[in-house]
Amino acid sequence: MMKELVLLQPRELEQWWEKIQAKTDRLIGEIGDRSPHVSASGLYDDMRIDWWTSGFWPGMLWVLHGATGTEKYRDAAWDWDSRIEQCFVRENNLHHDVGFQFALTAVIKHKLTSDGDARRRALAAANFLAGRFNLQGRFLRAWNQDKTGWAIIDSMMNLSLLFWASEETADPRFRQIACAHADTVLRHFIREDGSVHHIVSFDPDTGEAADFLGGQGYAPHSSWSRGQAWALYGMARASRHSGNIRYLRAAQRVAHYFLSCLPEDGVPHWDFRAPDPGSQPRDSSAASCAASGLLEIADALPETEGRMYRQAAERMLKSLSVKYATLDEPDYQGLLREGTGNKPAEQNVNVSLIYGDYFYVEAIAKLLGWSQRIF
């Protein structure tokens, strides 16, 4: 259980925010037009532009621009939706995660600047995502190749692109698809105790659930901590977009399970049901994503009911800032250490992950009053 920590003080938040900006200012020059994913040795890599994480760096810049009004963040983020769009006209591996890629670039760019090309790109991506809907199973297909019946908990975060498209065009089909997928997650992914499957395999012809797969978790029936974070955040936003209270109650149930499993410092191990928890690596990205999602749950509830979620988020963010952040290390490019990408494959363990950095910045911005939302 997470140990009680003194709640954040306004001055602490302001100091961390100032350091985040200073570090990002340096990163703009150091990263340039690279697409960062992992920092294993202090320097971020350059992943291909169709990789699912390509929106998080520009997304972080858009958050900073939206929260501060500073033009250098807008300028550095500006071309990313155009760059990712080029994947559609050449061989690529785009899939369900166009939600991450275009919500973090084109959608927020349009919201903040009213840019028409950004709107067009975001709507094209929404149509692409809607085209992955399996009617019989009522789910969004994950990945490509032979995984025609696979759906994953991560896609709860991609639904925001569909909800936005429905609001933007007054076309209910996007919202209907998003809600159908969320209903399938409620039925097949979220267990009674609030733990979550990573992958459910459906028969793509009949739509019947056929199998549960461990994916990036320890085992099929274990509890991958970042998957828990995707679920609690995604369900909270689905409730906000749709008005469906069942999604919010599901987010709360997942959040209660997540919080009950945390170690004393509030930063989870990569899987809550992996054996010998003390020897397992942490995942700071699961913590930052969950903290931002907990703030969404808190905002959706009356103040007295939401207080516990906000306080839990603050405790996690304080622990990340004090024990895991690198804000005072000018030569280290990641913001958070000890992220875990894919432990079963022994890929990207104990590293900085760009999505962990993004959600950390997003959550701090929310606590400081940033009112725009990307997801």
Side-chain angles (χ1 to χ4, degrees):
M1 176 67 71
M2 181 166 54
K3 186 177 181 181
E4 186 77 14
L5 292 172
V6 177
L7 295 184
L8 296 180
Q9 300 301 312
R11 185 54 190 153
E12 283 181 306
L13 278 173
E14 292 167 4
Q15 289 173 341
W16 293 333
W17 187 241
E18 290 168 2
K19 291 179 179 181
I20 286 170
Q21 290 182 71
K23 187 152 193 171
T24 305
D25 292 349
R26 293 194 299 271
L27 288 176
I28 288 173
E30 294 172 5
I31 289 176
D33 62 359
R34 288 186 291 132
S35 181
H37 173 213
V38 175
S39 174
S41 60
L43 297 177
Y44 261 118
D45 60 357
D46 182 15
M47 184 55 89
R48 65 180 195 265
I49 199 70
D50 66 348
W51 189 247
W52 73 278
T53 59
S54 60
F56 284 101
W57 165 241
M60 192 162 78
L61 296 171
W62 281 119
V63 170
L64 285 161
H65 171 64
T68 68
T70 303
E71 292 186 359
K72 63 185 168 186
Y73 301 127
R74 180 202 63 193
D75 294 345
W78 189 266
D79 289 336
W80 279 87
D81 59 324
S82 175
R83 293 177 62 193
I84 299 172
E85 181 193 30
Q86 294 304 306
C87 295
F88 283 118
V89 298
R90 62 175 186 263
E91 186 176 357
N92 67 78
N93 195 37
L94 296 176
H95 46 62
H96 61 278
D97 279 328
V98 293
F100 277 132
Q101 291 165 307
F102 286 89
L104 287 158
T105 57
V107 173
I108 188 62
K109 178 180 178 179
H110 175 66
K111 286 181 179 180
L112 294 177
T113 71
S114 299
D115 182 74
D117 282 334
R119 179 182 185 275
R120 173 184 57 77
R121 293 172 185 131
L123 289 175
N127 274 304
F128 175 87
L129 182 58
R132 301 181 66 85
F133 185 66
N134 181 297
L135 184 62
Q136 287 294 100
R138 295 170 61 82
F139 65 85
L140 291 167
R141 175 193 172 183
W143 297 308
N144 296 322
Q145 290 81 45
D146 59 347
K147 302 175 178 66
T148 54
W150 285 21
I152 60 174
I153 195 61
D154 318 40
S155 286
M156 280 305 305
M157 296 296 292
N158 291 303
L159 299 186
S160 62
L161 178 63
L162 298 178
F163 283 120
W164 170 83
S166 199
E167 296 163 4
E168 187 66 23
T169 63
D171 186 341
R173 69 188 176 99
F174 296 107
R175 183 182 68 252
Q176 291 163 356
I177 290 171
C179 289
H181 182 83
D183 289 343
T184 297
V185 169
L186 279 178
R187 181 180 179 187
H188 292 289
F189 282 79
I190 301 177
R191 307 177 187 119
E192 186 175 351
D193 67 352
S195 62
V196 175
H197 292 288
H198 181 199
I199 301 172
V200 179
S201 176
F202 297 87
D203 183 313
D205 291 315
T206 68
E208 294 296 316
D211 200 5
F212 301 101
L213 306 174
Q216 287 173 251
Y218 174 74
H221 294 276
S222 65
S223 178
W224 177 46
S225 60
R226 192 164 69 250
Q228 300 289 141
W230 296 142
L232 72 87
Y233 194 148
M235 277 291 172
R237 291 306 298 171
S239 179
R240 178 65 62 91
H241 286 300
S242 69
N244 190 330
I245 192 67
R246 294 187 305 124
Y247 301 154
L248 178 60
R249 297 304 179 222
Q252 290 177 269
R253 188 162 86 250
V254 175
H256 296 167
Y257 174 86
F258 187 99
L259 294 173
S260 74
C261 293
L262 289 176
E264 285 193 352
D265 72 351
V267 174
H269 298 94
W270 71 280
D271 191 299
F272 290 128
R273 291 178 178 168
D276 190 15
S279 68
Q280 299 293 340
R282 303 299 182 99
D283 185 7
S284 58
S285 74
S288 61
C289 178
S292 196
L294 288 167
L295 294 174
E296 294 299 325
I297 296 175
D299 286 347
L301 296 167
E303 195 277 332
T304 52
E305 188 179 351
R307 186 183 303 134
M308 64 165 283
Y309 301 100
R310 181 182 176 91
Q311 290 178 345
E314 290 186 10
R315 294 185 187 106
M316 292 167 69
L317 290 167
K318 180 160 187 172
S319 186
L320 286 172
S321 299
V322 172
K323 299 180 180 180
Y324 296 81
T326 66
L327 302 181
D328 294 317
E329 299 178 42
D331 297 327
Y332 188 94
Q333 290 186 341
L335 300 188
L336 296 177
R337 296 184 187 273
E338 296 193 47
T340 296
N342 188 338
K343 179 62 170 64
E346 292 298 335
Q347 294 176 347
N348 303 325
V349 178
N350 193 22
V351 296
S352 294
L353 297 162
I354 192 62
Y355 44 91
D357 290 357
Y358 166 81
F359 286 111
Y360 174 67
V361 173
E362 180 188 77
I364 296 291
K366 289 176 182 178
L367 287 177
L368 287 168
W370 178 62
S371 59
Q372 276 286 357
R373 290 294 181 266
I374 289 180
F375 295 104

